[in-house]
DNA sequence: TCTAGCCAACTAACATGTCAGTTGCGTTCG
DNA sequence: CGAACGCAACTGACATGTTAGTTGGCTAGA
């Protein structure tokens, strides 16, 4: 049993992007452990593909900061770096605020309808014991926000920042913030956009980012091996 | 005579990153024309390297939106897209504002000293007829800002956004904004950070972004072939 | 003249071969 | 026992071979 979701053998999509998404998903969902060593050849073997598409994926994941490639030595899944998580949050807060601001200015009816539909689905998914469906919808929600602002570049950045924050969220899944609060904030954001009320939307968004920081120190104490130490960059440990 | 700066044959740095930088620089400085077709094999030949490092560079440049790769068909230098330029500006404004805000909070003496030194050099470079030195220092200035805020992620984003804006700037080089105004804004930003006066720094920064928009329509009319048309994505043209 | 079809030449995607650098583990020598 | 050496096994970087998909031009047929 592999840590990667198997590739659909009937898909006509190129292998490269599918391998990339599969590896990324495994990292963000912590099925690839922070700090774990991975090798291009070994991962290629697991996918039944050649090293080339895996190499391309590694290049992209290194750019996102999810992998650390040490030339001629090896590659490891980036440990969770509290600084990186906080920095990603700063970036995301700035970019997503600008996104919401523009969404307020545009108020695209189709995108707002898509957001409303997504909100309904969130309410349903929140009732399930399995959090996976909700997390997927949460991702979709923020993608739709960027679409609503007609800012695809913003989504690329938010997606990257989010990946670092999501690993922490996955780590704290049992004692996570009640989903009801998140949904309430989501609804307030959409309401703000629909009303063209930037201040309200911005306020709701900024609440959305407050939770994470509090849980970080406890998690770091509980799972020290998954966290980056400020010193020591050796391959060992 | 090639559009690429030749690679230093004595460098011990890996070929990949050097090829990447050389291609990127050629695109941003418009020595590779927007819309121009490039091929991995041909570029590799020009560098005297294999296709592999060029391929890796293409992957990264496509992610930045500076290249458009059409699978099995070809790759072309992205035309200047007014929407992309404006979107990049929105992103950069948001991220760089957050950067300056944090720089104001940190007020790192070493980074401020480096900024001060850079400002002096800008004043000297502004006197030269050749704008290249100044543009290099401008790039350095914004990198130092991110360093001052201890936000390396922000610099990666700003660098990407900047590349799209810089192509427009290169296009308008003769009738560009007087450098004196830019330097004045730079000084105001640094003064604001040094004083911990976020409002002042933010104000100076936002002036910094006002120039570009005005020149876009005229440039688009003057060089229609270098600009993205909203329709038509065919390889021809 | 126009059209349909074939084909050569190109592309990037994918696969694999080769290389230099790194590492860790034995072994050998002090 | 411990330090130094050497070697085998690994890594990703780089090189190159192979393939499928696209394109544009030529030609055969109307």
């Amino acid at each position: 049993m592999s840590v990667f979701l198997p590739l659909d053998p009937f898909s006509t999509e190129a292998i490269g992007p599918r391998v990339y998404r599969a590896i990324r998903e495994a990292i963000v969902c912590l099925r690839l452990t922070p700090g774990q060593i991975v090798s291009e050849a070994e991962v290629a073997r697991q996918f039944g593909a050649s090293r080339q598409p895996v190499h391309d994926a590694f290049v992209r994941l290194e750019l996102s900061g999810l992998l650390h490639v040490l030339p001629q030595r090896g590659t490891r899944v980036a440990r969770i770096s509290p600084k990186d998580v906080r920095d990603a949050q700063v970036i995301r807060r700035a970019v997503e605020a600008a996104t919401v601001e523009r969404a307020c200015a545009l108020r695209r009816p189709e995108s707002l309808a898509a957001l409303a539909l997504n909100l309904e689905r969130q309410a349903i998914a929140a009732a399930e014991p399995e959090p996976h469906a909700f997390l997927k919808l949460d991702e979709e929600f923020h993608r739709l926000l960027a679409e609503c602002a007609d800012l695809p570049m913003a989504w690329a950045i938010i997606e990257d920042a989010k990946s670092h924050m999501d690993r922490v969220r996955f780590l704290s899944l049992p004692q996570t913030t009640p989903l009801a609060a998140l949904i309430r904030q989501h609804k307030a954001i959409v309401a703000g956009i629909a009303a063209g009320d930037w201040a309200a939307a911005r306020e709701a968004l900024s609440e959305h980012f407050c939770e994470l920081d509090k849980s970080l120190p406890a998690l770091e104490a509980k799972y020290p091996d998954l966290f980056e130490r400020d010193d020591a960059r050796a391959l060992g440990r």
Side-chain angles (χ1 to χ4, degrees), chain A:
Chain A
M1 106 107 222
S2 165
V3 296
F4 302 114
L5 298 179
L7 302 183
D8 175 4
F10 300 109
S11 168
T12 61
E13 194 188 359
I15 302 176
R18 288 186 285 154
V19 164
Y20 165 75
R21 288 197 304 271
I23 301 176
R24 186 183 190 279
E25 194 265 351
I27 295 174
V28 172
C29 298
L30 301 179
R31 290 202 308 284
L32 280 174
T33 308
Q36 179 176 348
I37 287 174
V38 288
S39 102
E40 291 183 1
E42 168 60 17
V43 171
R45 203 188 53 73
Q46 292 187 38
F47 280 114
S50 75
R51 283 143 39 207
Q52 178 71 52
V54 176
H55 171 78
D56 289 1
F58 275 30
V59 168
R60 293 186 55 176
L61 291 163
E62 150 113 283
L63 279 177
S64 299
L66 292 174
L67 285 183
H68 289 161
V69 177
L70 304 166
Q72 322 299 32
R73 293 206 279 165
T75 301
R76 63 165 67 224
V77 178
R79 290 203 173 76
I80 298 173
S81 152
K83 168 162 167 51
D84 279 1
V85 173
R86 275 187 267 263
D87 288 1
Q89 204 177 335
V90 169
I91 305 284
R92 187 180 164 191
R93 179 176 263 134
V95 173
E96 206 150 10
T99 302
V100 166
E101 179 180 356
R102 228 163 92 130
C104 284
L106 294 185
R107 289 212 265 179
R108 305 169 125 206
E110 333 80 63
S111 302
L112 281 167
L115 280 167
L117 179 59
N118 176 277
L119 283 177
E120 286 178 35
R121 290 188 180 141
Q122 283 185 36
I124 295 166
E128 294 177 25
E130 179 61 47
H132 187 71
F134 177 80
L135 294 171
K136 198 115 183 174
L137 285 167
D138 179 66
E139 175 105 354
E140 164 97 348
F141 175 82
H142 291 281
R143 193 184 59 71
L144 286 171
L145 275 186
E147 190 184 300
C148 193
D150 193 25
L151 275 176
M153 279 187 198
W155 172 237
I157 294 166
I158 291 166
E159 198 176 14
D160 258 20
K162 195 171 182 295
S163 65
H164 289 274
M165 296 164 64
D166 280 349
R167 291 206 298 175
V168 176
R169 188 191 250 191
F170 264 92
L171 208 55
S172 63
L173 257 194
Q175 64 275 27
T176 194
T177 307
L179 301 185
L182 296 179
I183 293 182
R184 191 160 8 91
Q185 290 157 5
H186 285 169
K187 283 183 176 164
I189 293 169
V190 174
I193 295 172
D197 182 349
W198 171 38
R202 189 193 184 90
E203 178 61 32
L205 181 70
S206 93
E207 274 180 49
H208 210 55
F209 292 111
C210 293
E211 312 297 339
L212 201 61
D213 280 321
K214 285 177 282 185
S215 57
L216 256 183
L219 290 169
E220 192 172 0
K222 190 167 172 189
Y223 308 99
D225 284 354
L226 305 186
F227 281 78
E228 186 79 31
R229 289 191 303 203
D230 293 342
D231 52 348
R233 285 275 164 140
L235 192 62
R237 170 184 160 188

